[in-house]
Amino acid sequence: MLIVWLCLLYWTIAPGIDNWVKDAVRVADVARNDTNPEKYISRHRGAIIRGDTIARRLAIVFTGDEYADGGEPIRQKLAHHRVAASFFLTGRFYRNPVFQPLIRSLKKDGHYLGAHSDAHLLYCDWTKRDSLLVTQTQFRNDLEQNYAAMQSYGIRKQDARFFLPPYEWYNDTIATWTKTAGFQLISYTPGTLSHADYTTPDLKNYRSSRAILESIYAQEQRHPAGLNGFILLLHVGTHPARTDKLYAHLDELLTYLQQKKYRLVRVDELI
């Protein structure tokens, strides 16, 4: 009953972009890792959404498209805590000359750099998830352009085989197309509000940084597996209308996780 009540509460407070969590809680399945039969991962609609829940490890991932105001503060805090993270960026982000010094610094620091689509396309309808808004050709061309932009930084496709879809919104067909292209679709682990750090005060699903942090701490404390295997998603930058930036609290979050003895790893080390 507690799980059902928590799900209902979450569905109420996280409309729109967060709707897919309703499905993830119900149908996420657990499957053996192809390369390590002792390691279990969770999937939803073909995307990996959680690593092994036995190991005390998690991956912090940042997505980026238009904004990068948190880029340098995030990089500095990760370096201070000696933490490796993962950054999934659009082609527009990689091509933006203003962001190029940040990207080169992140690569030099050893963080994972991946793809997040070229133009941040919406792949499927918000209310009818099985209704595609792009063709396979459009999907493939956009993805190829994203990886082409990454090549200028020396990032090869084989070094970035995980793909995090724009808006974290996808369906089984998108997962299949991603696999056909030679990559693995991933998304964030449901259970916290970390991904709501993009919300602005004018939105109904706005969440303050304190509310987001408390949701992470609550997940860690209330569940037997805690945050084991979590893919914890945040944004490298947000709209100026959001003045309460979650990345300003990154030191607190990293300190908490390290005190709880979590090993913070890149996604390619988690999965």
Side-chain angles (χ1 to χ4, degrees), residues 193-240:
L193 295 173
S194 70
H195 54 285
D197 66 335
Y198 76 94
T199 57
T200 52
D202 59 303
L203 298 177
K204 291 182 179 179
N205 63 335
Y206 173 71
R207 293 293 176 269
S208 68
S209 292
R210 182 49 50 191
I212 293 171
L213 290 169
E214 292 301 327
S215 77
I216 298 172
Y217 303 155
Q219 173 70 26
E220 199 284 326
Q221 295 165 12
R222 295 174 184 172
H223 297 269
L227 298 172
N228 291 355
F230 248 65
I231 299 173
L232 196 66
L233 185 145
L234 302 87
H235 293 83
V236 72
T238 60
H239 193 281

Side-chain angles (χ1 to χ4, degrees), residues 31-133:
R32 288 185 183 274
N33 183 296
D34 294 336
T35 58
N36 185 352
E38 299 302 318
K39 184 177 180 180
Y40 288 82
I41 57 177
S42 299
R43 299 177 185 268
H44 174 256
R45 293 179 177 264
I48 294 175
I49 62 169
R50 190 169 186 172
D52 194 346
T53 58
I54 301 300
R56 204 161 180 79
R57 301 186 306 169
L58 66 88
I60 297 180
V61 305
F62 297 89
T63 62
D65 179 33
E66 295 181 78
Y67 307 107
D69 46 289
E72 189 56 30
I74 289 170
R75 190 189 72 82
Q76 291 179 10
K77 290 302 179 184
L78 292 173
H80 176 74
H81 285 265
R82 299 183 179 180
V83 167
S86 304
F87 292 80
F88 290 87
L89 312 171
T90 64
R92 291 190 301 211
F93 194 105
Y94 282 109
R95 288 189 296 271
N96 190 325
V98 177
F99 300 160
Q100 289 177 5
L102 169 65
I103 297 170
R104 298 188 194 284
S105 294
L106 292 173
K107 187 174 186 291
K108 183 178 179 181
D109 289 349
H111 299 294
Y112 184 93
L113 294 176
H116 192 48
S117 87
D118 190 67
H120 210 259
L121 302 178
L122 181 61
Y123 292 149
C124 40
D125 189 86
W126 286 121
T127 56
K128 296 180 179 179
R129 190 167 185 166
D130 290 334
S131 297
L132 289 168
L133 302 178

Side-chain angles (χ1 to χ4, degrees), residues 245-257:
K245 306 289 189 177
L246 183 61
Y247 59 75
H249 304 270
L250 185 59
D251 183 67
E252 174 188 334
L253 177 60
L254 295 177
T255 298
Y256 175 87
L257 295 174

